Every structure is written in structure tokens, then in C-alpha cells.
Amino acid sequence: MTAPHLLSRWHLEAGLLALYVVDFLALGGKIGLSRASVVMGCVLLLLVVCSRSVRTELLPLLHRRHRLRLTQLRLHLALKERAPVVWSVDSHPAGELVTLAVHIGSSIPELERLAPVMAAALRARDVKVYGHREDQSLVDLVVVRRETLEREVNPVPLLGRYEPSLFDCVPLGIDEVGRHVVIGLVGRHLLIGGEPGSGKSVTLSAVLAAASRDPNCDIWCFDGKLVELAAWRPVAERFIGADVAEANEALLDLRTLMDSRYEEMEARGRRKVEKGDGYRTVLVVLDELAFYVANGDKKQGALFAERLRDVVARARAAGIVVVAATQKPSTDLVPSALRDNFGYRLAHRCATREASDTILGSGWATNDVSASSIAPKLRGVGYLLAEEGYPSRIRTMHLDDATISVVVDEALRLRGRKR
Ligand SMILES: Nc1ncnc2c1ncn2[C@@H]1O[C@H](COP(=O)(O)OP(=O)(O)OP(=O)(O)O)[C@@H](O)[C@H]1O
Ligand SMILES: [Mg+2]
């Protein structure tokens, strides 16, 4: 770093220091150096105590500049010549908001891949990378330093803000930096896992809240416990309770629907169902996979597993979406061949790292992404992984019974039906 460059980065500090030294020497010439140091010390103290602008403007500015340089130094040590240039560092509810300029030759996706490296360098829990829409060379980096998911997520702002569509607008909750998490499900199934009481059924209700208010979507519920999804029964086309034989018949019907839809699409030269093309979407919500696959009659359980695997593997392009929850994320229930067909995976708190990996995919726990690290009191918190990318820590919204009842009434009105 050249001397002018160094000076331009430290000009404020250098100017203040120079001012101090000049005054100190001038005063020292008159009253002696030791007295001058006492007087200057008192003057500094008085300035800090009495001057509001020193307290509220100068000191925070110096602190921000110090954080900026520290951030730049740490990123430089971690990324060497790929390190982006740090423009500013401000406070953020999650920790810090750092604005960066991407190094020429680098890109936002590359920075996203480097997020874990930057998090380690900045000694943070996580960093999130958000590109500026109007200028791809500028990036906001949210450095997550504290737990921000302790508070329950109120569903009202999320439900009120979005026009729901199973295609591209299913609000789930918020992420660690307070942004709304909104996903599109057509073309991607969602697998949810977690120990008892971790928030799976509540998350299913969040998905159902969006699907029920999308009048183009038919809902099929499979509820291994019968009572978990009961509140959604009025809006469901099919509702299957704790009966594996009935569930198998329903899956057969679903397969018939899927096959006939593909035949029709082939005749029309279509490859997949798209928004606005007249096909209705179908949301299949399955609470408690283990009940259907590993409860009682082995033959029926194996048949269910086979039919579900087939639907999950083939139904995506037909506009049929499966959202399944499992209390026991083990490989016999969720073999990797089944899991890999779920484009979205959400791991609520799991008892072990292995259980977390069963949902997210093997290897994440060794990268320190494990739902076993979620505190038991943080119900509804989980790691959401989209097919590509890095798992994001989110908290799903909590719809209580009264809110579900309001949503169901609205959904029935939109569908022109009565309870
Ligand atoms: N997102 C959330 N926000 C706040 N509280 C939640 C959330 N999710 C779950 N809870 C709380 O945890 C309780 C249990 O949640 P839920 O019934 O969804 O667990 P589960 O994983 O389905 O359990 P089980 O496997 O026993 O069915 C809820 O009644 C609610 O009080
Ligand atoms: Mg449940």
C-alpha cells in the first residue's frame, strides 16, 4: 500500500492526531510538557462529556471506520486478492450491514459460495449476501452475530402482503436477517423433518394457508394423526386420516390423475404445467410419513412407500406437489433416492446430526449446518435448503387455530364453497 493510499484511508485519524500533537507541543512550549499532557487530557475528557456532536457523531464515526478497516482486513486475509472492497459498515438488528464492491472478475454467486469462509473470517454465526438489483457490482453483506429468531413470527403481515400462488408465492416465515421467506412449490416438492414438537405441522399449516387461498390449487391431505390437519379439512378435496389402505387408494388415484394429465399434455405438445395454462395444481400434504410407511401392516406400508416414491419422482412437471413431514428422519423412512427428489428440504430441530443430514443431504453436518444445534425452545426454527445453494436458517410463521379458521373461511369464499 502506497503512502498516499494509506493517508487517504486514514486522513480523518491522521488529521485529528496532527491537530492534537500541534496543540500539545505549542502548549508544552509555554507550560511544560507534563502540565500540557494533563491539560490536553482534561480538554479531551471535557469534549467527550460536554460536546454532543463529539459523542453522537465523531466517536461513532471513528468506531464505524475502525469496524470497516477490521472487516476489510479480515476479508483480505481470508480471500486474498478476491477480497471485495468494503464501502461501509453499519449496525443491523442481526449484527452488521456491510456494503461491498465486488472485485473485478468476481461475481455475486462467487461471493455467495464464499459466505462460510467470510463468516469464519469475521467470526460471525453466518453471513448473507444480497446483490443490489440496479448494480451487480455492489453487494450487501449481513453479518449475523446474534440470535434473531427468538420471537414468534406473526403470520398476519405475511399473509396480508402476498397474493398466494402455489407456483411462486408460498410465504413460509422469516430468515435470520428478518426477510420474508417466500418459495414457489410447483416443480419442487418440500420435505420437512424434525423431532416431535419441533414445528413440522405448524409449517404444514403455513403451506396450506397459501395453497388454500390459491383458488387454482386442489388440496389433498394425508394426516397420520388425524387431528394435525383437521382444521384444513373444509378446503381439502381429499382428506385421508390414519388409514394406510385408504391412503394407498388415494395415491393410486393421484397416479391415475398424473398419468392422464401427462397423456393430455403430450397430445397438446406440452412438457410441463405452467402458470396460467389452465391446469389446476394439486398440493399433497402428508403429515407423519412414518405412520403410513412403517406402522402395522408391512405390505401396505411397502406399497405406500413405492407409490409415494413414484409420485414424488414423476409428478413435478404435472403440477402436482408433495409436501411431506416426518418425525423420524432415518434413512429407512427417507432413503436418499426419495429425498433427492425433494427440491426443498426443511430440517427443524433434530436429535442428531445424522437425522439432520437425512433431511438436508449428507455432508451438511460436517460443514457445521446441523438442525441438532437448534435450541429446543426455538420451535419452528429450521434450516431450509433449496436444491442449489446453502441452507438458510429460518423461522416459520405460527398460525394458531383462530387464524387458521379465518384463513379457511376466506379460502372457502374464494372457492365459492361453504363449510
Ligand atoms: N413456527 C413456530 N413458531 C412458534 N411456535 C411454534 C412454531 N412451530 C411450532 N411451534 C410450537 O410448538 C408446538 C408443536 O409444534 P408442531 O405441532 O408443529 O410440532 P410437530 O413437529 O408437528 O410435532 P409432532 O411430531 O409431535 O407432530 C406448537 O403447538 C407450537 O406451540
Ligand atoms: Mg405434527
Side-chain angles (χ1 to χ4, degrees), residues 201 204-210 212 219 221 228-236 239 399 403-405 407-408 411:
S201 300
L204 291 179
S205 279
V207 174
L208 280 160
S212 65
I219 295 169
C221 289
E228 295 272 32
L229 305 177
W232 297 100
R233 198 169 189 146
V235 287
F239 194 96
L399 284 93
T403 314
I404 292 178
S405 175
V407 174
V408 167

Side-chain angles (χ1 to χ4, degrees), residues 179-230:
R179 298 197 186 208
H180 291 178
V181 177
V182 181
I183 61 174
L185 279 173
V186 176
R188 287 173 156 192
H189 309 293
L190 167 64
L191 177 67
I192 304 168
E195 64 181 25
S198 57
K200 302 178 296 294
S201 300
V202 169
T203 301
L204 291 179
S205 279
V207 174
L208 280 160
S212 65
R213 288 160 63 239
D214 173 358
N216 187 50
C217 175
D218 291 334
I219 295 169
W220 293 34
C221 289
F222 291 70
D223 187 353
K225 284 192 186 162
L226 195 58
V227 291
E228 295 272 32
L229 305 177

Side-chain angles (χ1 to χ4, degrees), residues 92-104:
H92 184 278
E96 285 146 25
L97 176 69
V98 181
T99 304
L100 305 170
V102 179
H103 199 281
I104 289 181

Side-chain angles (χ1 to χ4, degrees), residues 188-393:
R188 287 173 156 192
H189 309 293
L190 167 64
L191 177 67
I192 304 168
E195 64 181 25
S198 57
K200 302 178 296 294
S201 300
V202 169
T203 301
L204 291 179
S205 279
V207 174
L208 280 160
S212 65
R213 288 160 63 239
D214 173 358
N216 187 50
C217 175
D218 291 334
I219 295 169
W220 293 34
C221 289
F222 291 70
D223 187 353
K225 284 192 186 162
L226 195 58
V227 291
E228 295 272 32
L229 305 177
W232 297 100
R233 198 169 189 146
V235 287
E237 300 300 312
R238 294 280 291 262
F239 194 96
I240 296 94
D243 182 335
V244 189
E246 194 191 344
N248 274 327
E249 274 171 35
L251 280 187
L252 198 59
D253 292 346
L254 196 64
R255 209 155 73 172
T256 311
L257 172 76
M258 173 176 75
D259 289 335
S260 62
R261 188 171 275 192
Y262 276 133
E263 273 168 29
E264 199 186 316
M265 284 165 64
E266 194 205 4
R268 290 173 60 188
R270 309 292 306 263
R271 289 167 68 90
K272 63 176 183 180
V273 168
E274 276 168 293
K275 202 172 179 177
D277 65 5
Y279 285 107
R280 293 184 66 71
T281 54
V282 181
L283 173 70
V284 181
V285 174
L286 207 157
D287 201 355
E288 215 24 76
L289 193 57
F291 173 82
Y292 294 105
V293 176
N295 201 22
D297 190 334
K298 275 194 176 164
K299 222 167 132 196
Q300 288 284 351
L303 190 62
F304 184 91
E306 166 51 27
R307 287 185 179 163
L308 180 67
R309 194 202 51 73
D310 181 39
V311 169
V312 168
R314 294 198 295 127
R316 273 180 296 178
I320 299 170
V321 173
V322 178
V323 176
T326 176
Q327 203 177 60
K328 286 189 212 141
S330 55
T331 40
D332 50 334
L333 268 180
V334 191
S336 58
L338 176 67
R339 179 199 59 215
D340 292 346
N341 277 314
F342 285 85
Y344 283 110
R345 298 163 210 163
L346 173 60
H348 285 303
R349 186 186 147 77
C350 291
T352 62
R353 290 156 64 92
E354 291 71 31
S356 177
D357 267 2
T358 307
I359 299 299
L360 295 177
S362 60
W364 284 111
T366 39
N367 278 328
D368 263 355
V369 179
S370 167
S372 61
S373 66
I374 296 169
K377 64 173 183 177
L378 294 180
R379 289 159 188 243
V381 171
Y383 282 101
L384 175 68
L385 176 68
E387 240 154 35
E388 68 291 323
Y390 198 80
S392 189
R393 207 159 166 275

Side-chain angles (χ1 to χ4, degrees), residues 97-176:
L97 176 69
V98 181
T99 304
L100 305 170
V102 179
H103 199 281
I104 289 181
S106 286
S107 62
I108 294 174
E110 186 182 328
L111 270 193
E112 280 171 343
R113 275 196 301 282
L114 291 169
V117 181
M118 293 193 281
L122 298 171
R123 297 185 182 162
R125 300 164 70 102
D126 197 2
V127 303
K128 307 272 179 205
V129 179
Y130 301 102
H132 283 221
R133 255 192 223 145
E134 65 288 2
D135 183 349
Q136 289 287 303
S137 72
L138 289 181
V139 170
D140 278 342
L141 205 71
V142 178
V143 183
V144 183
R145 294 203 181 276
R146 54 187 82 100
E147 179 58 79
T148 51
L149 298 176
E150 264 160 358
R151 295 226 325 257
E152 262 192 33
V153 180
N154 181 354
V156 177
L158 277 139
L159 294 178
R161 166 130 183 225
Y162 299 98
E163 181 82 14
S165 159
L166 200 66
F167 276 94
D168 51 17
C169 194
V170 178
L172 283 185
I174 60 164
D175 67 12
E176 281 186 297

